[in-house]
Amino acid sequence: MPTTPTAVLVHGAFADAASWSGVVAELQNYGIPVVAPPNPLRGLASDAAYIASVASQIDGPVVLVGHSYGGALITVAGTTENVVGLVYVAAYVLEEGESLGELQGRFPLSPLVSNLKEWTYPVEGAEPSVEVAIKAEAFPEIFAADVPTAVTKVLAAAQRPLAAAAFEETAAAAAWQTKPSWALVAGADQAINPEVERFGAKRAGATVVELEGASHAVAVSQPKEVADLIRDAVRATTG
């Protein structure tokens, strides 16, 4: 019997694995095995290594799914031997040797950039490092404009910050060069310029779906549409 790949859902910055809850439920209804690991959000190389480790310990093939910054991670971690496909959800699709800052710099900046708040976190044996989060008052419009207001307040309070250094680290590999990819573009994204998403997806030769009115939190607002694209990727890589 063909082995159904496990969908490994990698959340991005300013979110956690619970942001995939609706998508997980949809995929489980389709009979697709799912894992939604925590993303450390401490740096491109170290986070990608963690996701690669998770994928490599799963018995059987894996389809990696990355939202936002998670897209950069699956681009690198996707070189893991048992990864058979990549799905980008409102995500960065990097080229080998490219950073998030370089990719974003090709296009006008999104409103996110001017609405970040800096924090610091301790680093053993070194000076504190900088991390960023979205200002609470700006979070609903920038991250989740198509999500009910009461829910966005919870998401804003629970957001997880990203190490600022992650924007400058370069991708050590680009798995989409050798593995099939799919991409969902959030047409009303205020966190990542949709042109960044379109450019990366086209460069990777991905199969693209665009949701015109979708915010950056498309996995929360439209979980069925996101799950359907993942199901397409799983079906295409089963066997």
Side-chain angles (χ1 to χ4, degrees), residues 177-199:
Q177 292 178 341
T178 58
K179 298 182 181 182
S181 60
W182 290 257
L184 187 150
V185 174
D189 202 328
Q190 295 293 302
I192 300 176
N193 183 336
E195 288 299 326
V196 173
E197 300 170 21
R198 294 183 189 106
F199 172 82

Side-chain angles (χ1 to χ4, degrees), residues 146-163:
D146 58 350
V147 175
T149 302
V151 177
T152 65
K153 290 180 178 179
V154 174
L155 295 176
Q159 65 173 303
R160 293 182 54 209
L162 172 67

Side-chain angles (χ1 to χ4, degrees), residues 2 8 10 25 52 60 65 68 71 79 84 128 133 151 163-164 172 191 201 225 229:
V8 175
V10 182
V65 183
S68 190
T79 58
V84 294
V151 177
E225 288 75 4
L229 182 62

Side-chain angles (χ1 to χ4, degrees), residues 13 29 45 73 76-77 126 149 204 220:
N29 286 339
L73 303 187
V76 178
T149 302
V220 177

